[in-house]
């Protein structure tokens, strides 16, 4: 059965460290602690005294002063790992945690999870090919030598960097090593950790290289694991649940996140607020519990993105240059059907195409699988379609050899609607108003990843009013946008009432419009 040696790097809050070590070792697991050499020595002594009689706790033989983004974090980890290897010969897995991490599953569940597959859990993506780094330095982290801390010695850091750049003082990456990147929160098997320690002793050239890279805790272990371990024995994921805000800061969890955390497909979570005393108590009790069943729904990240995104609705100050220089064409008409119920929008679109003969494209900015003609690659990914939306539309007009085109869009694409209405072409918008039952909204939440089959009922009850309000808000935004040609049909209106706006939207006779509005089961779920 799995026996975990937790590798804990910490620098503050001795009481929390003592409690964490006591909880995690009470069920037979172990812990190796590295306490920052630059932190309060009284705090370190307090931790040592409190845990002196715990045989499942050890300490790094040598402590180093740690700084964010420095090699010191990797060295501290290696020091703690070596102590764990020496003192816990029966440990099968080595799990990296911080002082604000806590288990979100029971020890029983965690051990069974690790026993189920003989693999290492560590994010490991190609450094240059992946988009793991969103902003800031990328290649520069590796090809230049970084001797100073960017946060505490900013002037020296950038002076050294700019001087090397000016003089062309780049260096080669070790030729036989493919640099990888990922989260520093990993769980590795004993054999893997032993291989890493042995590699570090033999390959002084690789160690010299990583000692002067920037933020090596995101690349060192990730690279070595991929170098030493067969690909089939690596799960490129972190077993620790963590999220980041739009500003790159870790999301902090509080007392009311208990149910959310338990439903995620992870073993630990980071980071737990120091003030979340009730959450810490409940999670601490959970780790020692037996026979607990966990319903995994795993909607945490998508739910966070949805809820926080609602408060960040804004408009760009100006169009991108490639948008300003492109146009669909002055003589062209883009007809946009907006419906939150995609199946209703698609039915209406199909009938419009059947009656009018106009080329029709479904939710091209919302569904990756939307049928599209070959347009040279611009149609292949959602990001490309959205980024080059005018160019895409212009190519669709050309492909179908038409000046009139009908498409479907979700009402949350307000920025796209505004962009198309600002074009020199003629743009018309038909909003399809539908009634939304709780069952439909729940299905919608599942389709977009805000809920799952195992999401707790109380979480669903809190979520549904928010989604309903969000749908109404999107409709209000469209009305408030001041679009010049906005038409509206409704599920509650009669066929005759819907005929007039359809006729004006499509510039067709009312007889033809009535044929479209009268499509059987148009609004059926």
């Amino acid at each position: 059965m799995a026996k975990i040696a937790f590798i804990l790097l910490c620098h503050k809050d001795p009481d929390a460290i003592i409690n964490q070590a006591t909880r995690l070792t009470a069920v037979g697991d172990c812990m190796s602690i590295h306490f920052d050499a630059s932190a309060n020595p009284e705090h370190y002594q307090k931790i040592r005294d409190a845990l002196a009689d715990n045989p499942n706790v050890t300490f790094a033989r040598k402590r180093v002063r740690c700084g964010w983004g420095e090699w010191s974090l990797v060295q501290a980890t290696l020091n703690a790992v070596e102590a764990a290897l020496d003192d816990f010969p029966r440990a099968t897995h080595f799990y990296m945690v911080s002082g604000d991490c806590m288990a979100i599953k029971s020890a029983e569940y965690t051990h069974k999870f690790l026993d189920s597959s003989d693999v290492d859990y560590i994010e490991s993506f190609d450094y240059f090919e992946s988009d793991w780094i969103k902003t800031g330095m990328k290649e520069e982290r590796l090809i230049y030598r970084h001797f100073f801390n960017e946060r505490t010695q900013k002037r020296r850091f950038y002076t050294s960097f700019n001087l090397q750049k000016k003089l062309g003082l780049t260096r080669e990456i070790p030729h036989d090593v493919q640099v990888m990147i990922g989260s520093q929160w990993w769980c590795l098997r004993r054999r893997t950790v032993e291989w890493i320690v042995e590699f570090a002793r033999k390959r002084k050239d690789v160690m010299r290289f990583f000692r002067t890279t920037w933020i090596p805790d995101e690349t060192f272990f990730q690279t070595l694991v991929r170098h030493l371990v067969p690909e089939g024995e690596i799960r490129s994921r972190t077993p620790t649940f963590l999220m980041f805000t739009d500003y790159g800061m870790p999301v902090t969890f509080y007392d009311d996140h208990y149910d959310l955390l338990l439903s995620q497909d992870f073993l630990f979570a980071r980071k737990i607020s120091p003030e979340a005393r009730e959450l810490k108590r409940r999670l601490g009790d959970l780790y020692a519990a037996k026979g607990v069943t966990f319903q995994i729904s795993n909607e945490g990240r998508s739910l966070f993105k949805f809820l926080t995104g609602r408060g960040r609705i804004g408009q760009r100050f100006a169009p991108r240059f490639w948008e300003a220089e492109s146009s669909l064409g002055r003589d062209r008409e883009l007809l946009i059907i907006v419906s939150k119920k995609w199946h209703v929008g698609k039915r209406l679109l199909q009938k419009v195409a059947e009656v009018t003969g106009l080329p029709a494209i479904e939710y091209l900015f919302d569904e990756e699988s939307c049928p599209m003609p070959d347009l040279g690659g611009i149609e292949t990914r959602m990001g490309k379609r959205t980024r080059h939306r005018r160019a895409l539309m212009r190519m669709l007009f050309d492909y179908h050899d038409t000046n009139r085109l009908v498409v479907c869009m979700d009402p949350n694409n307000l920025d796209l609607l505004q962009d198309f209405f600002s074009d020199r072409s003629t743009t018309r918008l038909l909003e399809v108003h539908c009634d939304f039952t709780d069952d439909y909204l729940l299905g919608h939440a599942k389709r977009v990843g805000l809920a799952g089959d195992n999401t707790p009922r109380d979480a669903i009850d809190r979520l549904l009013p928010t989604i309903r309000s969000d749908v109404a808000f999107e409709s209000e935004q469209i009305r408030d946008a001041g679009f010049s040609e906005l038409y509206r049909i409704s599920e509650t209106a009669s066929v005759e009432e819907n005929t007039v706006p359809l006729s004006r939207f499509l510039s067709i006779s009312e007889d033809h419009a009535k044929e479209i509005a009268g499509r059987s089961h148009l609004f059926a779920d």
Side-chain angles (χ1 to χ4, degrees):
M1 184 176 182
K3 184 181 180 70
I4 305 171
F6 292 101
I7 308 301
L8 173 63
L9 266 57
C10 51
H11 65 282
K12 62 179 181 179
D13 203 349
D15 291 331
I17 300 304
I18 294 167
N19 291 335
Q20 185 184 37
T22 302
R23 280 193 301 265
L24 294 178
T25 59
V27 295
D29 290 321
C30 315
M31 178 173 285
S32 179
I33 300 175
H34 179 279
F35 194 79
D36 193 337
S38 61
N40 190 328
E42 294 180 2
H43 290 174
Y44 179 58
Q45 193 59 49
K46 181 177 181 178
I47 295 171
R48 295 212 62 145
D49 292 344
L51 300 174
D53 297 329
N54 190 330
N56 288 336
V57 175
T58 191
F59 294 84
R61 309 286 189 261
K62 182 179 180 180
R63 296 162 60 210
V64 297
R65 295 175 177 269
C66 297
W68 187 90
E70 294 180 3
W71 168 257
S72 55
L73 291 175
V74 177
Q75 188 62 61
T77 304
L78 288 171
N79 293 351
V81 163
E82 290 177 354
L85 284 171
D86 292 341
D87 294 349
F88 307 129
R90 297 180 63 189
T92 62
H93 292 77
F94 292 70
Y95 197 127
M96 184 77 179
V97 294
S98 69
D100 49 23
C101 290
M102 286 201 71
I104 57 175
K105 298 292 186 293
S106 63
E108 180 181 62
Y109 179 99
T110 299
H111 293 152
K112 287 182 179 178
F113 178 90
L114 295 177
D115 283 333
S116 65
S117 300
D118 186 21
V119 296
D120 297 306
Y121 295 93
I122 181 170
E123 279 190 350
S124 182
F125 304 105
D126 185 276
Y127 187 90
F128 294 100
E129 296 298 326
S130 71
D131 63 348
W132 204 87
I133 298 175
K134 303 298 183 185
T135 59
M137 290 184 179
K138 188 168 185 177
E139 183 183 28
E140 294 85 354
R141 289 193 192 184
L142 307 180
I143 64 173
Y144 297 108
R145 297 166 179 83
H146 301 279
F147 304 102
F148 306 102
N149 188 294
E150 193 268 348
R151 291 192 172 182
T152 60
Q153 301 170 293
K154 190 177 291 289
R155 185 174 180 179
R156 291 180 177 178
F157 179 92
Y158 285 106
T159 298
S160 170
F161 168 67
N162 290 327
L163 184 61
Q164 293 179 71
K165 193 173 180 180
K166 182 177 181 179
L167 297 176
L169 299 178
T170 60
R171 59 175 174 176
E172 295 291 331
I173 297 170
H175 69 279
D176 62 334
V177 171
Q178 180 184 7
V179 179
M180 310 297 285
I181 192 167
S183 168
Q184 64 269 51
W185 311 111
W186 40 254
C187 180
L188 304 177
R189 296 166 296 173
R190 184 182 193 92
R191 183 187 66 179
T192 301
V193 169
E194 290 173 340
W195 285 349
I196 290 173
V197 171
E198 182 65 19
F199 182 92
R201 289 172 180 160
K202 290 182 177 179
R203 291 295 301 271
K204 302 300 182 184
D205 60 324
V206 176
M207 298 300 284
R208 283 195 299 271
F209 171 77
F210 277 106
R211 280 194 180 97
T212 50
T213 59
W214 182 230
I215 320 183
D217 54 322
E218 294 179 349
T219 55
F220 178 78
F221 291 98
Q222 296 77 1
T223 299
L224 265 59
V225 170
R226 186 67 68 170
H227 184 75
L228 298 169
V229 178
E231 184 176 358
E233 297 179 22
I234 301 172
R235 297 291 182 269
S236 188
R237 56 158 292 187
T238 171
T240 298
F241 180 59
L242 65 160
M243 298 189 296
F244 291 90
T245 68
D246 291 349
Y247 306 102
M249 300 300 293
V251 173
T252 301
F253 299 108
Y254 296 92
D255 287 340
D256 57 350
H257 287 127
Y258 179 80
D259 290 329
L260 172 71
L261 292 176
L262 264 59
S263 66
Q264 305 311 306
D265 188 20
F266 296 86
L267 305 179
F268 277 68
R270 181 182 185 270
K271 64 190 214 170
I272 310 298
S273 169
E275 287 78 36
R277 296 181 180 86
E278 178 64 13
L279 177 61
K280 287 186 174 183
R281 183 193 66 76
R282 295 177 73 183
L283 291 178
D285 293 342
L286 175 69
Y287 194 67
K290 299 286 186 179
V292 180
T293 301
F294 296 90
Q295 299 294 328
I296 307 299
S297 55
N298 216 34
E299 75 280 6
R301 290 194 172 112
S302 56
L303 186 60
F304 174 79
K305 183 179 180 180
F306 166 71
L307 293 175
T308 55
R310 296 177 73 244
R312 300 199 180 103
I313 298 170
Q315 301 178 31
R316 294 200 308 260
F317 289 102
R320 309 294 189 193
F321 75 91
W322 46 264
E323 293 173 346
E325 294 301 320
S326 64
S327 172
L328 306 188
R330 190 180 300 277
D331 298 326
R332 285 173 169 169
E333 291 184 21
L334 178 61
L335 308 174
I336 305 174
I337 296 173
V338 169
S339 176
K340 195 67 179 178
K341 287 187 176 181
W342 292 4
H343 61 280
V344 175
K346 290 177 182 180
R347 284 185 200 137
L348 181 60
L349 185 76
Q350 182 184 33
K351 192 64 177 178
V352 167
E354 177 186 322
V355 173
T356 66
L358 292 174
I361 311 292
E362 295 180 355
Y363 286 83
L364 71 168
F365 296 113
D366 304 286
E367 272 189 316
E368 193 90 54
S369 59
C370 167
M372 297 277 286
D374 183 357
L375 300 175
I378 194 174
E379 81 289 349
T380 54
R381 294 201 303 272
M382 194 76 70
K384 280 189 176 182
R385 296 180 201 172
T386 304
R387 196 161 53 247
H388 307 297
R389 45 192 173 264
R390 291 196 187 182
L392 174 68
M393 283 299 188
R394 196 167 60 250
M395 294 172 77
L396 286 171
F397 276 108
D398 292 339
Y399 177 86
H400 290 286
D401 191 20
T402 183
N403 282 333
R404 304 188 77 209
L405 181 69
V406 191
V407 300
C408 278
M409 290 173 56
D410 190 280
N412 66 6
N413 294 311
L414 183 64
D415 58 333
L416 298 183
L417 297 176
Q418 290 172 322
D419 187 51
F420 287 130
F421 267 94
S422 68
D423 191 74
R424 292 194 297 270
S425 62
T426 298
T427 303
R428 294 183 184 144
L429 182 64
L430 177 71
E431 183 187 9
V432 182
H433 181 266
C434 300
D435 291 336
F436 297 93
T437 64
D438 285 350
D439 287 342
Y440 178 83
L441 292 178
L442 177 57
H444 172 74
K446 291 180 178 180
R447 283 191 294 274
V448 298
L450 298 178
D453 292 335
N454 297 318
T455 301
R457 186 67 232 182
D458 60 339
I460 290 174
D461 291 340
R462 293 195 300 269
L463 180 61
L464 290 183
T466 304
I467 298 176
R468 188 180 296 280
S469 173
D470 202 59
V471 170
F473 179 67
E474 289 173 353
S475 179
E476 289 299 320
Q477 276 194 303
I478 289 175
R479 293 190 184 188
D480 293 341
F483 296 134
S484 57
E485 293 205 50
L486 171 61
Y487 305 93
R488 192 166 183 258
I489 64 173
S490 173
E491 181 175 358
T492 58
S494 66
V495 171
E496 288 72 20
E497 290 172 321
N498 286 335
T499 294
V500 174
L502 265 172
S503 172
R504 293 176 180 173
F505 169 68
L506 295 168
S507 299
I508 59 177
S509 69
E510 291 194 3
D511 287 342
H512 284 148
K514 188 173 183 179
E515 183 181 351
I516 296 171
R519 184 199 191 280
S520 60
H521 309 296
L522 175 61
F523 292 98
D525 288 335

